Amino acid sequence: MKGISIPDHRIHHAYLVIGQEEDLLRQMAKDFVVRLFHKSKKEEPEKQFSLPLEEESTEKRPDFYSEKEEPEDSLSLRIEKEEHPDLIFVDYQEKENGEKKSSISIDQIRQEVKGTVDISPKEGQYKVYVLCHSDKMTVEAQNALLKTLEEAPEHVIMILLCENENKLLDTVLSRVVRVYVGDMPIEKQWKLLQEIPALRALPAFLKEIAHKKQEEMQKYAEELGQLDGQELYCFLDIILRDVLCYKSTKDHHLLYGQSARESITAMAEKYSYWTLGQWGEYIERYKEGRAVNVAQNYQILDFFLFLSNT
């Protein structure tokens, strides 16, 4: 993925941006904030991401903070220089000798995050926290951050930057949308997505879908509808790739989803190339559908009904 997406109908309150280049991660966060703040200035408040927002008087703001008068390039420049009051970076603190600390402590999280999240944004509708080196937070610091991730005010968006997600607690990982920077091996994508229980059951469900009642499909579609769309459609793309691969080669060693080999090979035997082609078109249509406010659970139910009738 090359950037953090901003859907027209939904925005997440916590992202985990994972990659090896610190400067690139930091720049991605700033690029996201530029788009977010520009978008929030251009749209009517009630249309922004369907979030309940509080109006704030601008009478006491300095002229150079006026949202109506400030050129977009000026706003972008302030964000780029990390001088915008609604963009807060949390990074290693300095020691008395001037060197940087090697971890982020619970006291720092309490002071720089928990102690300020309830303060309203100075200029717009959003205040963004960028936690650099989030995988260097102590366990105590991560636990202190949990409540904020769960119950952050509507105006708060948190972006956690990290190199190694395995150093973060499962309770933290379950509360963020993951964004991977750079190419990730498909095997690793499959392994990570398999950690989500609702997705882990998907290959077997698709294999047996002809025998599922509509009530079962609807219930499972509602469960999948709660997941992040990028993760869901990525998983469906990998399953489709494997089914097509096995259908063409009959070589199970080429499959990425080895843990679901039985289901994948069964689908390859069952579904025609036409059906699998329609599968791919459905996924592309769903991705576009997110931009016109089509509920994800209805998209998936539509897909289930299509497969069950083929």
Side-chain angles (χ1 to χ4, degrees), residues 16 18 92 102 133-140 142 162-173:
L16 176 65
I18 307 158
Y92 294 134
S102 58
H133 312 288
S134 65
D135 49 346
K136 299 296 184 181
M137 287 189 292
T138 64
V139 172
E140 294 77 13
Q142 293 184 52
C162 86
E163 179 178 338
N164 185 357
E165 62 186 302
N166 294 323
K167 293 185 178 180
L168 291 171
L169 299 175
D170 290 341
T171 47
V172 172
L173 294 175

Side-chain angles (χ1 to χ4, degrees), residues 6 9 21 29 55 98 116 124 129 134 164 181 196 215 237 283 310:
I6 305 179
H9 68 288
E21 300 181 37
E55 295 185 358
T116 61
Y129 288 82
S134 65
N164 185 357
V181 180
I196 303 173
E215 292 78 8
D237 278 339
I283 299 304
T310 57

Side-chain angles (χ1 to χ4, degrees), residues 30-284:
K30 289 190 283 190
D31 290 344
F32 170 79
V33 173
V34 168
R35 298 197 308 276
L36 175 68
F37 285 5
H38 282 171
K39 189 176 181 71
S40 65
K41 285 171 58 178
K42 292 177 182 177
E43 296 185 351
E44 295 297 327
E46 63 272 18
K47 295 181 180 179
Q48 294 174 36
F49 312 119
S50 301
L51 293 178
L53 305 172
E54 295 182 1
E55 295 185 358
E56 181 182 354
S57 173
T58 59
E59 294 181 0
K60 297 182 181 180
R61 295 180 186 170
D63 291 340
F64 60 90
Y65 279 168
S66 171
E67 294 183 45
K68 294 183 179 180
E69 299 179 2
E70 182 181 19
E72 288 189 357
D73 57 353
S74 174
L75 175 62
S76 299
L77 183 60
R78 289 198 291 138
I79 293 172
E80 179 63 32
K81 292 184 175 180
E82 302 177 15
E83 296 175 350
H84 195 288
D86 296 329
L87 173 59
I88 299 96
F89 278 85
V90 179
D91 206 341
Y92 294 134
Q93 292 180 330
E94 288 190 357
K95 301 178 182 178
E96 293 182 359
N97 60 7
E99 295 181 357
K100 296 284 188 180
K101 294 184 178 180
S102 58
S103 64
I104 296 174
S105 68
I106 183 174
D107 289 338
Q108 186 175 352
I109 293 299
R110 285 173 174 169
Q111 178 181 355
E112 300 183 30
V113 181
K114 292 174 67 68
T116 61
V117 290
D118 291 325
I119 301 174
S120 298
K122 297 294 189 298
E123 298 185 20
Q125 279 104 15
Y126 301 104
K127 181 162 66 171
V128 180
Y129 288 82
V130 180
L131 277 67
C132 304
H133 312 288
S134 65
D135 49 346
K136 299 296 184 181
M137 287 189 292
T138 64
V139 172
E140 294 77 13
Q142 293 184 52
N143 282 319
L145 187 65
L146 280 179
K147 187 173 182 180
T148 303
L149 289 174
E150 292 176 340
E151 305 174 4
E154 293 291 344
H155 61 260
V156 168
I157 297 170
M158 304 193 70
I159 303 175
L160 284 64
L161 310 182
C162 86
E163 179 178 338
N164 185 357
E165 62 186 302
N166 294 323
K167 293 185 178 180
L168 291 171
L169 299 175
D170 290 341
T171 47
V172 172
L173 294 175
S174 66
R175 289 164 174 80
V176 298
V177 173
R178 303 183 210 190
V179 179
Y180 295 97
V181 180
D183 296 329
M184 173 183 287
I186 296 179
E187 293 93 336
K188 184 175 181 180
Q189 291 185 41
W190 176 272
K191 182 178 179 181
L192 289 171
L193 293 171
Q194 278 269 295
E195 295 177 359
I196 303 173
L199 291 183
R200 188 163 56 246
L202 186 53
F205 189 92
L206 295 178
K207 183 190 73 170
E208 300 292 337
I209 200 165
H211 306 292
K212 301 293 184 182
K213 296 180 180 179
Q214 184 167 337
E215 292 78 8
E216 292 180 86
M217 290 188 277
Q218 184 172 349
K219 183 178 180 180
Y220 190 30
E222 290 175 354
E223 183 179 358
L224 293 173
Q226 302 301 313
L227 302 180
D228 174 64
Q230 291 179 333
E231 294 179 335
L232 172 60
Y233 298 128
C234 176
F235 196 63
L236 280 170
D237 278 339
I238 297 174
I239 296 173
L240 175 59
R241 178 268 175 203
D242 274 3
V243 172
L244 282 167
C245 179
Y246 186 79
K247 190 172 186 66
S248 301
T249 67
K250 304 299 181 183
D251 187 351
H252 63 80
H253 296 98
L254 299 177
L255 303 181
Y256 290 115
Q258 290 293 334
S259 58
R261 182 197 302 177
E262 180 182 351
S263 297
I264 289 169
T265 55
M267 284 187 279
E269 297 292 342
K270 176 182 178 180
Y271 296 130
S272 67
Y273 283 110
W274 180 86
T275 298
L276 297 175
Q278 291 296 306
W279 177 331
E281 291 185 14
Y282 266 70
I283 299 304
E284 291 305 314

Side-chain angles (χ1 to χ4, degrees), residues 270-306:
K270 176 182 178 180
Y271 296 130
S272 67
Y273 283 110
W274 180 86
T275 298
L276 297 175
Q278 291 296 306
W279 177 331
E281 291 185 14
Y282 266 70
I283 299 304
E284 291 305 314
R285 186 157 68 247
Y286 299 153
K287 293 175 182 176
E288 296 173 0
R290 295 205 303 274
V292 293
N293 211 18
V294 177
Q296 187 166 284
N297 60 310
Y298 290 127
Q299 295 172 354
I300 298 304
L301 180 59
D302 182 41
F303 175 58
F304 286 169
L305 292 172
F306 160 72

